[in-house]
Amino acid sequence: MIQFILLQNRQGRTRLAKYYVPFTDSEKHKIEHEVHRIVATRDQKFTNFVEYQNRKLIYRRYAGLYFTLCVDATDNELACLEIIHLFVEILDHYFSNVRELDLVYNFHKVFVITDELVLSGELQESSKKVILNRLGILEKME
Amino acid sequence: MGISLFQKSLRDMIAGMRSNRNAEEKYIQSTMEDIKKELKNTDLKVKTVALQKLTYLNMLGFDMSWAAFHVVEVMSTQKLLHKIVGYQAAAQSFNENTDVMLLITNLLKKDLISTNPTERSMGLDCLSNIATLDLARDLVADVYGLLSSSSVPCRKRAALVLYCCFLKYPDALRPCFKGLVEHLDDHEQSVVCSVVSVLCELVIKHPHNYLEMAPLFYRLLLGSTNNWMTMKLLKIFGALTPLEPRLTKKLVEPLKNIMSSTMAKSLLFECITTVCSGMTSNEELVEMTLEHLKDFVLDSDPNLKYLGFKALEQFVKHVPKLVLRFGNAALLCLSTVDPTIRSSALRVISGLVSKKDLKQVIVRIIDHIPAANTAYRNELSETILSICCRDKYSLVSDFSWYLNILVELARVPGSVHGKTIAFQITDIACRVEAMRDDSVQAVRSLLMDPSVIKTSKTGSISEVLEATAWITGEYAAYVEHPKETVEALLQPGILELPCSVQSMYVQAILKVFVQVASDLLSDEQQGGQEEGNEEEKSDSEEDAEVDKIAMLSELADLILAHISQYAKSPDPEVVERSCQLKAILHTQKEKEGIEALRSLFSRLSGIMSEELQPVSGKAQSKVLAPDDLTVVTPIMEEFYDEEIDGVPAGEEDTSENSQGTIAPTSSGLDAATALTEASEEQKKLAEEKAKNELQQHRQKHGIFYLGQDRGSEKSGGDPSLAASSDVVDMPGDAEVSPQAETVPASSSVDSVYSKMKRRKGKKKQHGAAVVIKQDDDVTDGAESLGSSPLKQDKNGLDVNVFAPLEHGEALPSVEAYPTAYPQDVYSSDHDMMQQHDYSQQHEELETPAVVAEGSSGKKHKKKKKKHRKKKDKVEGAEAPEAQAAEVEQQS
C-alpha cells in the first residue's frame, strides 16, 4: 500500500504532498524534511530505494523534481518505480511537456490526476489512456 | 472560475510568493489575513478561491484547521466546480480530531447515492482520505451499494474505498465479503484488479483466514492478462504458500510460464519474491528463479543488483548450497558505491561461508577495509567477527590465523568492536590451551606498538589492550622476550588509557616478573644438580648464577624506575596494585643469596600459577546439594507463623514445598496444613460462586463473549478466565484429570459444576460440544460459532470471512438518513440484511477447486466434502440454540 506521494524540487520545496495514512501537520512537515534530506543527498549511482523507518522510499528524479513514493516493506520496488513513471507520463501528456511551474500553478489539477491514478493507497488504474480520457471528461466540466 | 475584482487568484498568490522569495514569510502572513477575510465573504466564488489558496498553503505546511467549517460550507455548495475545491481541502486537512466531521456524513451520503458519476467519485475519493470510525460505519452500506453500480470507474473505486472502511470499521468486513468476492468475476478487468488489490491487503495481514480462496485466486492467476493484477495475485500466493505447502506444486507451472514469458522486470521480481517467501522446497523452481536472479545481480543497474541481493538474502536462509554460485559476485560487489548493495551482499556472503573457504573469504573482506569509510569499515569488521564466532567458532579451523585476524581488526582505526574482539581473543586463549602460546605472540604486536595507544581515543581499542595485558600476564610462561614485554607494559602512554586498563597492566607486570624470576631460579636448580658431577664447570656455573641474579635485579630496577608513575593515579585499584608490586620488588632486593630468592619466588609463583579454567554454563547443576542444606526451613519459627496469620489465602506453593524434600518443623507443618485446608474451602466457594455468576451472564449476553482463549487456561485464578476454559473442559468433564496435585479443588469444582450444568440445561452443553468440533476444523482456533468473531478487540480484521453471518450481523443502516436508493444506481438484488446462504457460498468457492487441483487434489476434495458435511451439521445444531437464545433474551 502506498503511504504517501511526495513531489519535491532540489531545494526541498514541496510541490505535491498526498498522504494515504493519517499524519498530523507536524509529522507531515517532519517527513517532508527527512525525505528531502535522504533523497537529495543520494548519489546518482545509488539505488532508487531507501529503507525509511519500517517502510520503503522509492524515488526517481526527473529534471529538478524528485518523485517519491513511500510504501510498505512488502511492496514491490520495481512496480513502484513503474507507478512513478506512469504518473510522470500522464503529467507530461496532460500538460504537454510538463515543467515544474506547471505543477506549481496547477496544484489542484495535479491532485485530481493523483486521485485518478491512486486511490486509498492502491493503484486504481494502470492504463494511461483510460486516465487521460477521464481527465478529458473532467476538463470539459470546467 | 470567475474572480472578483480585488481578490488575488491562486495564480496571483503563487506568482507573488515566487517574486517575494526574500520576504516570503511576510507575504504569506498578509495573504493569510486576506484569506481569513475572504472566507467570511458571502460570495461563494470569493470563498472558494480563498479556500483553494489556503489548501495550497496548507500543503506547504501552514495550519488550516481553523477553517474547517468553511471547508464544509464550500463542500455543500451545488456547483461542482466549487464543490471539488471543498472536497480537496477536506481530503487534505480533515483528520480524526476535526469536530465538523459530523456535519459531512450526510453530505457524503448524498454524494454516494447521487446519479451524477462525478459526484459519486468525488465522494468516494474524499471518503477514502478522511474515513473515521463514524464515517465508515455510517457510509459503508452505501459504498457497498456502489459495488453494483453500472459505472465501471464507480465500481472500481467502491472496492478500494471499502477497504478503507474495513480498516476503520472492521465489523463491516464479514457482511461485505461475499459481495466483494463476487466482483472477482466482474466483466471489467480493472474492477477485478481493484478487488484483487483489496483482497491482497487483507490476505497479507491474516493469510490463515483466506486459505479456502486459494482455488479462486489460482483461476484468476491463470487467466490474468494484467501485470498489475498478476503481481497482486502472486503476492497473495506468497502469503498463502507458507501455510499450505501443497499449493507450491500447483504454482510451479504458472510461475514458470510467467517467468519465461514476461518482459517486465517488476513482474519477474514479484515471481522471485513469491518463490523465496514459501516455495524454496521445490528445487526446480528455485533453480529457475536463481537463473533469473543471476541477471539481476550481474546487471549494471544498481536497482536490479540491490533487489537481486535482497532476494538472495532470503534464499541463503533456506537453500544456501544453491546460492553458492553467487559467492564471487557478492564478493565483487563489496566495492560498489551504494552502501545498501554492499550491506546486502555482505549478508549474503555471511550466509554462504563454509569451513573450506573461510580464510579466502575473510581475506577478501579485509582487503576492502583500508579503502572504506568508518561506517563501512565497522560493518565489514562486524561481519567478520560474527561469521567466525558463529556456533562457537565452528567455521574456524586455524585459530592462530584467526587470532592474527582479530589483532588486525583491533588496529582498524575508529573501530567500535573492541569489546567483541577483546572477548573473542580472551575466549580463545582460555578455552584452547594449545592456542595460548599463539595468542600471547599475537597480542604482543599490539602491546609493543606505541602508536596503538595513541589511536585509543578515537576507537575502542583500549578494551582490546585490556585483554592483551590480561593474556600477557595470565599466560606469562609463553612470553618470549620478558624484558621487552615489561618495557612495553611500562610505557608512559599507558597513563592515557582508562584506569581499568592501567590496573590490568600493573598486574600483568607483576605476573610477568614473577614468572621470569621463578623460571630463572628453577633453571638454576636443575643446573645445580648437575653441578656436583662436573667440577670444572663450577666457576662458570657460579658466574651464571650471578648473571641471573643481576638480570633479575636489572629487571626489578627497570620496573621500580617506572612504577611510580602509577602511584598518582586517581583510581584506587591502580594505586594499590602498583604499591603491591613495589613492595614485592623491595622484598626481593632485601633477600640475599640465591636460596632465599628461590623460596620467595617459588611461593609467589605458587600464588600466581593457579590457572583460571573455563567453566561450563551447566556446571552448577552437577554440584550436588549438601545434605545439611536447608533452604526452605524457616529461620525464625515465630516469624513464619505470623506470616501465615497475616495471609489467610496464601499460596499453596509454600505448603507443598514444606511437605516435600525437607522435613519442616512441626508447628510449620501444622500451620501449612491448616492453611491449605482453609484456602481450599474458601476457594471452592468463591470459584463456584464466580462461575455461576459468569455462566448466567454468559447465557444472557452470549453474543458478547469471545471464543475460548486457550492461552488463558493456565491462570485459573481469574474467575472470568476460569469460566472461559470451562467451556472447553465440559464435554469430557469426568475424564478431566487435575493438572497437578496442587489444584484438586478447582478440578472437583469443575466436575461438580458441570454435572449440575448437565441437569440444568442440555442446550448450553450442546453449544459447547459444537465449539469443540468447530475448533478441530477451523484453522483459526480463536473463532467459534458460539461467539461472535466480530467482537474481538484486537485485530478487528482477523475474522473468519466464510463463517455464516450471525443473527443481527449486517451492515449498519442509519435510519436518520435517506435510505431510498434510486433504482438506476442499484441492482435489485442489493439486500445486505439477508443472511448469506452458507452452503451455497461454499459451492461457489469450491467449484474452482476441481479445476485447480486436478487429479492430485482428490484427497483434498474428499476432505472438503467431509468438512462441509460437518459444517452443515454444526449449522443445523446451532439453529435451535439460536432460537433458544432469542427466547431467553426476550424473556
Side-chain angles (χ1 to χ4, degrees), chain B residues 123-139:
Chain B
L124 284 172
D125 286 350
C126 186
L127 180 62
S128 79
N129 279 304
I130 59 173
T132 59
L133 171 63
D134 288 335
L135 279 181
R137 192 188 51 224
D138 295 345
L139 296 173

Side-chain angles (χ1 to χ4, degrees), chain A residues 13 15 42 45-48 51 74 76 82 104 108 111 116 119-120 122 124-126 142, chain B residues 14 18 24 52 59 81 88 92 125 156-157 164 201 228 232 235 266 270 302-303 310 338:
Chain A
R13 289 189 154 255
R15 294 311 186 199
R42 275 178 76 83
K45 285 178 202 154
F46 285 10
T47 58
N48 294 91
E51 275 166 34
T74 51
N76 183 332
E82 281 173 25
V104 175
H108 50 292
F111 266 131
E116 290 299 323
L119 182 67
S120 71
E122 298 290 335
Q124 67 154 319
E125 182 56 65
S126 53
E142 286 184 23
Chain B
I14 297 171
R18 290 176 61 80
E24 201 183 73
Q52 198 166 34
M59 197 177 75
L81 276 181
Q88 269 179 7
Q92 187 175 303
D125 286 350
K156 192 172 70 184
R157 277 160 202 256
C164 289
E201 291 295 318
W228 296 95
K232 292 281 176 195
K235 215 176 259 307
S266 53
E270 195 63 59
N303 287 341
K310 273 271 159 196
D338 191 329

Side-chain angles (χ1 to χ4, degrees), chain B residues 221-253:
Chain B
L221 182 68
L222 291 185
S224 168
T225 51
N226 179 336
N227 277 0
W228 296 95
M229 191 167 97
T230 313
M231 279 191 264
K232 292 281 176 195
L233 287 166
L234 287 174
K235 215 176 259 307
I236 290 175
F237 280 114
L240 292 181
T241 39
L243 299 176
E244 179 53 280
R246 282 176 298 182
L247 278 173
T248 309
K249 219 172 164 187
K250 297 306 300 173
L251 285 169
V252 172
E253 274 310 308

Side-chain angles (χ1 to χ4, degrees), chain B residues 577-611:
Chain B
R577 287 190 186 184
S578 64
C579 290
Q580 227 169 29
L581 180 55
K582 237 182 188 171
I584 290 170
L585 291 173
H586 281 300
T587 328
Q588 179 251 337
K589 289 248 150 180
E590 282 162 18
K591 301 274 178 193
E592 277 183 19
I594 192 123
E595 282 308 316
L597 280 176
R598 195 171 287 159
S599 75
L600 171 72
F601 280 107
S602 72
R603 260 182 284 160
L604 272 175
S605 70
I607 300 171
M608 305 276 181
S609 64
E610 190 163 331
E611 220 171 70

